């Protein structure tokens, strides 16, 4: 065997850390300017989609309009959907769509969840491209400044639940935290070994997104990952030039560092 062929054979025999992408997106449960938002979704979907997509306010109006249902029909997904609100006007929930196998699906209501304002975490156990298991957790915490104490309780609950019930595989935690970047708020999460993608950027941006109906400019949407397990390759905001929501999304690419 020539030296070149030998090197090639050795290279091919080495383990490959396949990358995968994860995204989070609040779909904004109103039909405002629906046709434009639908066109933006259709125009940008294949550029902005990810291997594992997490949605908050995954909604359908009583007229049948639904950005979420449009996404579901784009590809063959393994789907974990959990209903959070169901009224005469709108039905919505949390959802994780995966191009990889979902092994288990679980959901828990968070502290301070209310009848028509349920706060929930959904957990999907997923088999990664390298056949390693991971937990994808998708959350939507209490909103507004007055909800900060509720968010503290909710994050405490999530971390305790991870430790008690979901410690057999690494966790990627995503969603709409309704919380600006506050070192004190996220201390326990950082102390538990999690890093945030795109620190310092804005996802709810009155200066960039015409659908934001306030002067608020902040980061509310996050992807947290254990840096000892997953190597972040790149991350960016999604649906910025052609927004589909009052939130911009986040998309990140990871490499699984486990053998």
């Amino acid at each position: 065997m020539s030296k070149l062929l030998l090197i090639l054979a050795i290279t091919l025999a080495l383990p490959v850390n396949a990358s995968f992408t994860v995204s989070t997106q609040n779909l904004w449960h109103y039909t405002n300017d629906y046709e434009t938002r639908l066109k933006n979704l259709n125009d940008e979907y294949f550029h902005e989609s990810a291997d594992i997509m997490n949605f908050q306010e995954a909604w359908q109006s009583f007229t049948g309009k639904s950005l979420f249902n449009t996404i579901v029909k784009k590809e063959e997904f393994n789907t974990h959907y959990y209903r959070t609100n169901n009224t005469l006007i709108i039905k919505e929930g949390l959802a994780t769509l995966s191009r990889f196998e979902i092994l288990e699906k679980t959901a828990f209501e968070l502290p301070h969840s209310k009848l028509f304002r349920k706060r929930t975490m959904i957990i999907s156990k997923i088999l990664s491209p390298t056949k390693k298991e991971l937990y994808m957790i998708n959350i939507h915490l209490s909103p507004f400044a007055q909800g900060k104490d509720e968010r503290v309780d909710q994050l405490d609950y999530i971390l305790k639940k991870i430790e008690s019930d979901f410690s057999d595989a690494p966790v990627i935690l995503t969603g709409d935290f309704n919380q600006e970047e506050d070192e004190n708020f996220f201390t326990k999460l950082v102390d538990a070994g999690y890093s945030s993608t795109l620190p310092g950027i804005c996802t709810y941006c009155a200066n960039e997104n015409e659908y934001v109906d306030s002067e608020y400019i902040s980061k509310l949407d996050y992807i947290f990952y254990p840096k000892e397990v997953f190597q972040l390759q790149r991350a960016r905001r999604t649906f910025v030039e052609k927004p589909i929501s009052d939130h911009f999304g986040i998309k990140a690419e990871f490499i699984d560092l486990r053998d």
Side-chain angles (χ1 to χ4, degrees), residues 77-131:
F77 292 109
N78 296 295
T79 302
H80 183 186
Y81 181 87
Y82 185 87
R83 176 71 52 78
T84 55
N85 293 307
N86 186 3
T87 68
L88 293 176
I89 298 174
I90 204 161
K91 300 175 182 179
E92 66 175 339
L94 290 174
T96 296
L97 305 183
S98 175
R99 291 172 180 151
F100 312 129
E101 182 181 0
I102 297 179
L103 304 172
E104 298 175 9
K105 304 175 185 180
T106 318
F108 297 93
E109 285 197 16
L110 300 177
H112 310 291
S113 182
K114 301 173 178 64
L115 180 61
F116 293 110
R117 286 289 184 271
K118 288 185 179 178
R119 297 299 159 188
T120 310
M121 61 185 293
I122 66 170
I123 305 98
S124 307
K125 192 173 192 178
I126 294 174
L127 199 61
S128 78
T130 55
K131 305 304 179 184

Side-chain angles (χ1 to χ4, degrees), residues 189-229:
L189 194 54
V190 173
D191 288 347
Y194 291 90
S195 294
S196 175
T197 61
L198 296 178
I201 61 93
C202 173
T203 62
Y204 192 77
C205 318
N207 59 332
E208 295 182 82
N209 190 338
E210 62 182 305
Y211 297 128
V212 175
D213 61 359
S214 71
E215 296 303 313
Y216 205 56
I217 299 174
S218 186
K219 183 177 183 181
L220 301 181
D221 307 87
Y222 298 83
I223 299 175
F224 282 97
Y225 65 99
K227 57 187 177 183
E228 299 300 320
V229 180

Side-chain angles (χ1 to χ4, degrees), residues 47 54 61 140 155 211:
H47 176 61
N54 300 280
S61 76
H140 192 188
L155 186 58
Y211 297 128

Side-chain angles (χ1 to χ4, degrees), residues 120-252:
T120 310
M121 61 185 293
I122 66 170
I123 305 98
S124 307
K125 192 173 192 178
I126 294 174
L127 199 61
S128 78
T130 55
K131 305 304 179 184
K132 302 291 186 181
E133 296 177 352
L134 64 92
Y135 287 111
M136 185 63 54
I137 298 183
N138 183 12
I139 64 173
H140 192 188
L141 303 187
S142 295
F144 311 123
Q146 62 268 31
K148 184 169 184 177
D149 289 342
E150 294 185 1
R151 293 193 292 275
V152 170
D153 291 344
Q154 289 163 354
L155 186 58
D156 283 347
Y157 176 91
I158 290 165
L159 287 171
K160 290 176 183 176
K161 183 61 71 174
I162 290 172
E163 183 178 2
S164 64
D165 294 358
F166 302 101
S167 60
D168 59 305
V171 168
I172 296 177
L173 177 61
T174 73
D176 178 359
F177 284 64
N178 271 315
Q179 172 64 48
E180 62 187 9
E181 287 183 303
D182 180 333
E183 182 178 343
N184 293 327
F185 180 85
F186 289 110
T187 295
K188 291 181 181 179
L189 194 54
V190 173
D191 288 347
Y194 291 90
S195 294
S196 175
T197 61
L198 296 178
I201 61 93
C202 173
T203 62
Y204 192 77
C205 318
N207 59 332
E208 295 182 82
N209 190 338
E210 62 182 305
Y211 297 128
V212 175
D213 61 359
S214 71
E215 296 303 313
Y216 205 56
I217 299 174
S218 186
K219 183 177 183 181
L220 301 181
D221 307 87
Y222 298 83
I223 299 175
F224 282 97
Y225 65 99
K227 57 187 177 183
E228 299 300 320
V229 180
F230 301 111
Q231 178 181 310
L232 178 64
Q233 294 295 96
R234 58 187 60 86
R236 61 177 176 81
R237 298 185 300 175
T238 58
F239 295 104
V240 176
E241 298 301 323
K242 295 185 176 184
I244 61 173
S245 167
D246 57 345
H247 290 244
F248 296 138
I250 295 177
K251 179 179 178 179

